[in-house]
Amino acid sequence: MTLPAALLSTSIPGVPEPRRGKVRDVYEAGPDLLIVATDRISAFDYVLGTGIPDKGKVLTQLSAFWFDHTAAAVPNHVLSLDVSRFPAPFDAHPDVLAGRTMLVRRTRPVPIECVVRGYLVGSGWAEYKKSGRVCGIPLPAGLREADRLPEPIFTPSTKAETGHDVNISEEEAGRLVGAGLIARLKALSLEVYRTGAAHAESRGIIVADTKFEFGLVGEPGREDVLLIDEVLTPDSSRFWPQDQYRPGGSQPSFDKQYVRDYLEQIRWNKQPPVPSLPDEVVARTREKYLEALRRLSGRELA
């Protein structure tokens, strides 16, 4: 099977170069922003040398599904995904932007990752083994890796531009951005997680954990909170096939864990130079992302 080419970066004639994150290129679009999800993939805090074709389209189209699905719980920043409705000159570039781009309302991003964990895995499992807690939250004794938690827990982290996000307690997050705002974000995060996890379970997928980002609009002290960035995607979440779930160890997944596992297998030291991925890993990862889109949204890639 011949894969399509991966889109690793964008440049639109006539406008300033975008701000480039690990995956997204963000353009100024008058009062708004244009967010382009490229096919770059990061692991262990580095962007790898190989992209995953159509990954950015999956992230955008799955996020669009979830933004719509969760709109009753929390408003979001999406204005349009229709390139013909983008401001000039962006509307003249559907070949680059279609299917992978959102025109969004500009917000003041809250500098906290709002992580919700429904299962004991990843850094939460590592912390639990040492202390019986996750981000200061005590958990029952005797839990195994990948066990379902009695209730989903809110475990915020700092939002690092480079390097690792750092897990912090709810109290520490409150000191950074305000206790009242953190209480609000906790409630919204748990509601969106429960809404998303229930839908995913109906489609045979477990959402083990995920992270949300929020932005503020309006006057200070009277701000509205909007859900921003991406929602319940294979980049921001751990998705497990329900029919293969076996607590007590690592789980098969529909996310980029497959890439992380390959990098561990080749014993990359997680320092530059970054490795490239073989065709087999690229193709398998692409299919996992596409399968997540199909199962969760019921839609094929547009």
Side-chain angles (χ1 to χ4, degrees):
M1 175 183 176
T2 302
L3 294 176
L7 181 71
L8 297 182
S9 68
T10 63
S11 184
I12 303 298
V15 299
E17 285 294 289
R19 184 172 73 253
R20 300 188 195 277
K22 288 178 180 174
V23 173
R24 288 166 177 78
D25 291 351
V26 181
Y27 291 88
E28 300 285 328
D32 305 314
L33 298 174
L34 203 77
I35 301 179
V36 187
T38 72
D39 296 331
R40 299 190 293 266
I41 188 166
S42 66
F44 304 115
D45 300 314
Y46 289 96
V47 176
L48 302 182
T50 312
I52 306 298
D54 294 322
K55 172 178 172 284
K57 291 184 176 182
V58 170
L59 299 183
T60 298
Q61 293 171 38
L62 188 53
S63 288
F65 167 80
W66 286 119
F67 277 127
D68 183 62
H69 189 77
T70 61
V74 58
N76 59 68
H77 68 163
V78 178
L79 296 173
S80 182
L81 277 74
D82 183 350
V83 178
S84 69
R85 297 178 63 184
F86 293 172
F90 300 105
D91 59 346
H93 297 279
D95 54 323
V96 175
L97 302 179
R100 63 171 71 245
T101 309
M102 289 184 178
L103 181 68
V104 304
R105 188 175 178 185
R106 191 188 300 264
T107 70
R108 301 187 299 280
V110 180
I112 293 291
E113 298 274 8
C114 292
V115 180
V116 179
R117 303 172 189 271
Y119 292 74
L120 190 57
V121 67
S123 63
W125 167 241
E127 186 178 346
Y128 172 81
K129 286 191 294 182
K130 293 178 181 176
S131 67
R133 297 170 176 261
V134 176
C135 293
I137 301 170
L139 295 177
L143 295 178
R144 300 164 295 174
E145 182 179 7
D147 265 339
R148 186 168 190 161
L149 299 175
E151 293 290 339
I153 59 174
F154 176 71
T155 61
S157 72
T158 59
K159 189 159 60 174
E161 289 298 321
T162 59
H164 289 286
D165 296 337
V166 178
N167 293 341
I168 56 177
S169 68
E170 186 180 333
E171 291 72 24
E172 290 173 299
R175 287 195 289 272
L176 288 174
V177 302
L181 179 57
I182 282 298
R184 194 173 175 190
L185 298 184
K186 175 182 179 179
L188 289 172
S189 297
L190 289 169
E191 183 174 1
V192 173
Y193 173 81
R194 289 189 176 104
T195 298
H199 173 80
E201 284 191 18
S202 77
R203 300 302 181 95
I205 290 180
I206 291 169
V207 182
D209 58 23
T210 194
K211 63 181 178 180
F212 304 115
E213 295 192 37
F214 294 91
L216 305 177
V217 294
E219 295 297 319
R222 293 182 295 177
E223 301 101 334
D224 291 322
V225 175
L226 302 186
L227 185 61
I228 66 171
D229 194 51
E230 63 181 318
V231 183
L232 292 162
T233 73
D235 268 17
S236 65
S237 316
R238 283 186 175 89
F239 294 144
W240 298 337
Q242 201 169 35
D243 60 357
Q244 298 177 55
Y245 172 58
R246 303 289 186 273
S250 62
Q251 306 294 311
S253 66
F254 290 108
D255 51 53
K256 64 181 179 182
Q257 188 60 45
Y258 185 75
V259 171
R260 296 189 195 101
D261 290 346
Y262 167 77
L263 296 174
E264 295 283 15
Q265 177 189 325
I266 65 170
R267 300 184 184 279
W268 177 43
N269 65 1
K270 301 165 190 168
Q271 297 295 324
V274 296
S276 295
L277 302 174
D279 290 348
E280 178 186 353
V281 173
V282 170
R284 187 75 182 102
T285 303
R286 178 177 182 268
E287 184 52 42
K288 284 175 176 286
Y289 275 68
L290 291 170
E291 183 67 13
L293 175 67
R294 292 186 201 106
R295 285 211 195 186
L296 291 168
S297 72
R299 304 168 185 169
E300 294 291 334
L301 189 71

